[in-house]
Amino acid sequence: MTDTAAARPNPVRFWIGWGLLLFLIAGLTLNHVVGLFRYRGALVERLTFPVFIALGLYALAVLIWPYRSCARWAWAVTWVFVAVTAVSFLFLEPAIGWFYVGGAAAMALGQLLTLPHFLRAGGVNVG
């Protein structure tokens, strides 16, 4: 293998990471849309549904358009959804909270799978 081939990011890795992010964020957003109409718990918990829906729709819009073209800000902004999903563990009962932590870990993996593609395209400023 030449040095050029080793430095070139694998596009399959990018598409796997992007697809994983798309699947998880779309799934969580759809889950919260259903929860908005089905859940009858405390007001504070019910208010989290519209917040997650709005954030999920924004994250999906970022993933569908600027993320695929390796816009610098798109990679960074996608971490916001990952972080909010992970932090929500603190506000939920443990059985549901671990589900969110697992989803956030999988989304972080998707983000890291796409990192070489962003670095190669000059999309992520690391210095």
Side-chain angles (χ1 to χ4, degrees), residues 31 63 67 71 76:
N31 180 43
L63 278 175
Y67 197 93

Side-chain angles (χ1 to χ4, degrees), residues 55-73:
L55 188 58
L57 290 174
Y58 179 72
L60 286 172
V62 168
L63 278 175
I64 291 171
W65 289 288
Y67 197 93
R68 290 188 314 170
S69 61
C70 294
R72 173 180 300 188
W73 63 270

Side-chain angles (χ1 to χ4, degrees), residues 104-120:
M107 285 186 270
L109 174 65
Q111 277 282 84
L112 295 175
L113 283 172
T114 63
L115 179 60
H117 196 80
F118 276 89
L119 291 173
R120 173 80 171 156

Side-chain angles (χ1 to χ4, degrees), residues 18-120:
W18 181 81
L20 181 63
L21 286 165
L22 188 67
F23 175 77
L24 291 169
I25 292 173
L28 276 171
T29 304
L30 182 60
N31 180 43
H32 287 95
V33 168
V34 170
L36 181 65
F37 297 106
R38 303 278 306 181
Y39 186 73
R40 299 286 182 241
L43 178 62
V44 173
E45 293 170 346
R46 283 196 331 246
L47 290 176
T48 61
F49 289 112
V51 171
F52 259 99
I53 292 167
L55 188 58
L57 290 174
Y58 179 72
L60 286 172
V62 168
L63 278 175
I64 291 171
W65 289 288
Y67 197 93
R68 290 188 314 170
S69 61
C70 294
R72 173 180 300 188
W73 63 270
W75 193 84
V77 164
T78 303
W79 281 107
V80 173
F81 191 84
V82 176
V84 168
T85 304
V87 169
S88 65
F89 169 78
L90 300 172
F91 306 103
L92 299 169
E93 58 186 71
I96 297 171
W98 285 111
F99 171 77
Y100 282 82
V101 169
M107 285 186 270
L109 174 65
Q111 277 282 84
L112 295 175
L113 283 172
T114 63
L115 179 60
H117 196 80
F118 276 89
L119 291 173
R120 173 80 171 156

